[in-house]
Amino acid sequence: MVPLVVSESMDIAEPFRLGLGTYTSAGDENCTQSVATALDVGYRHVDTAQVYGNEESVGEGIRQSSVPRKDIFLATKTVHHDVPGPEYEDILQAVDGCLQRLGVETVELLYVHWPTGIYDPAVTLPAFDELYDTGTIGHIGVSNFEPHQLDEAREILDAPIFAHQVEMHPLLQQDELRAYAQRHDHTLVAYAPIARGEVFDVPELTTIADKHGVSEAQVSLAWLLEKDVVPIPKASSEAHLRENFEARSLSLDTEDIEQIDAIEQEERLIDPDRAPWNQ
């Protein structure tokens, strides 16, 4: 397999603004096709993880698309139950495995997937710093962290935290983490940004969707974009990929934003017992 090389000249801001999530995408040709189609539609940010078991398919989708590798912002995650141990070399070896499966020499963004299990900040984060210093990864991210864990990571890391990926949608608005991201100059990335389809059953979103002639999913994505949050919706069909991507052009007015902000229902969809907010 010929590795793909990252260009240092990429303009990060626009490619990163809305991405393709691949969580639960099967590691087969369906995943490959959805990645290739998304890139041809206009996506430039692709998100995966070691534990998803689809990095090979994601990499193949990148190679099958007509988009040059240098124009793609590729993110993956490790440090989960996918890494054999907490030692420094375990982390480096796990990341090397990610790169080999993706068929790349570097990735634009590498996340610590969960601050639980084998995660040891005193070991894991210096390993990420080394990967950053050697250019193996372009940026360091964390995922599913609580504020005190973000504080600890910032104290240990030499490199800045570029992004924090969490579940976020109108039913889980993450005000505290969004304010933290603004204070400390990193980007909040939203997984499950349409609440696994539950946004279609939220009356406030339906009212706004009808007003603009769009779907509730597009309203949810546009709301996140208005908050300077990067959504990474998952989709497989070209129609849904296009619909999600077109949310970038939807302009919500002040009344729309206030109506969504006022939603009192709160529902966390990804809530394992090991999660830091359950400890």
Side-chain angles (χ1 to χ4, degrees):
M1 182 180 294
V2 178
L4 301 169
V5 181
V6 176
S7 168
E8 296 180 356
S9 63
M10 176 189 289
D11 177 9
I12 289 171
E14 183 56 28
F16 188 65
R17 187 166 176 253
L18 185 147
L20 174 68
T22 62
Y23 174 65
T24 73
S25 290
D28 58 18
E29 63 183 28
N30 293 325
C31 176
T32 294
Q33 186 59 53
S34 67
V35 170
T37 301
L39 291 169
D40 290 342
V41 163
Y43 291 77
R44 294 296 178 266
H45 171 191
V46 179
D47 180 273
T48 184
Q50 181 174 353
V51 76
Y52 298 172
N54 65 8
E55 286 174 313
E56 290 181 346
S57 298
V58 168
E60 185 59 28
I62 290 172
R63 282 182 289 279
Q64 288 187 12
S65 81
S66 60
V67 179
R69 172 67 181 98
K70 65 181 180 62
D71 295 334
I72 299 169
F73 190 100
L74 178 59
T76 193
K77 312 176 198 73
T78 192
V79 187
H80 199 340
H81 56 72
D82 45 18
V83 177
E87 302 304 323
Y88 195 91
E89 289 302 321
D90 293 325
I91 306 301
L92 298 181
Q93 184 176 6
V95 175
D96 184 61
C98 291
L99 299 178
Q100 289 187 36
R101 287 186 294 275
L102 287 163
V104 300
E105 293 180 345
T106 63
V107 291
E108 281 67 42
L109 176 59
L110 179 71
Y111 291 97
V112 177
H113 202 160
W114 286 88
T116 57
I118 69 159
Y119 173 68
D120 179 348
V123 177
T124 301
L125 298 175
F128 272 52
D129 265 330
E130 178 179 331
L131 293 163
Y132 177 85
D133 289 342
T134 60
T136 303
I137 63 176
H139 301 279
I140 291 174
V142 296
S143 184
N144 301 303
F145 276 46
E146 291 286 274
H148 71 278
Q149 293 165 321
L150 290 165
D151 288 339
E152 180 181 49
R154 289 175 53 250
E155 289 178 3
I156 294 173
L157 283 167
D158 292 328
I161 293 175
F162 176 79
H164 181 202
Q165 186 176 134
V166 296
E167 179 185 348
M168 183 176 175
H169 42 72
L171 301 180
L172 186 65
Q173 299 197 7
Q174 299 284 22
D175 292 336
E176 181 181 14
L177 292 178
R178 190 165 60 84
Y180 189 105
Q182 291 174 337
R183 285 197 309 274
H184 297 289
D185 196 28
H186 62 249
T187 299
L188 208 61
V189 176
Y191 67 74
I194 60 173
R196 293 185 170 176
E198 294 195 17
V199 296
F200 293 99
D201 299 321
V202 179
E204 295 90 340
L205 300 182
T206 299
T207 298
I208 296 168
D210 290 345
K211 170 182 169 181
H212 291 278
V214 297
S215 71
E216 291 89 344
Q218 288 173 305
V219 171
S220 183
L221 296 173
W223 174 77
L224 288 162
L225 291 166
E226 290 281 356
K227 299 289 184 182
D228 293 323
V229 174
V230 174
I232 50 170
K234 177 182 176 290
S236 54
S237 72
E238 182 173 348
H240 285 149
L241 287 165
R242 289 189 181 279
E243 178 182 305
N244 290 342
F245 195 68
E246 288 166 2
R248 297 158 69 250
S249 303
L250 173 58
S251 180
L252 301 178
D253 59 35
T254 301
E255 182 182 0
D256 299 331
I257 299 295
E258 290 176 348
Q259 193 172 355
I260 299 172
D261 289 351
I263 293 173
E264 293 184 356
Q265 178 182 353
E266 183 169 306
E267 184 171 356
R268 186 185 291 276
L269 302 173
I270 292 83
D271 193 22
D273 290 341
R274 68 176 183 279
W277 50 84
N278 287 326
Q279 303 309 306

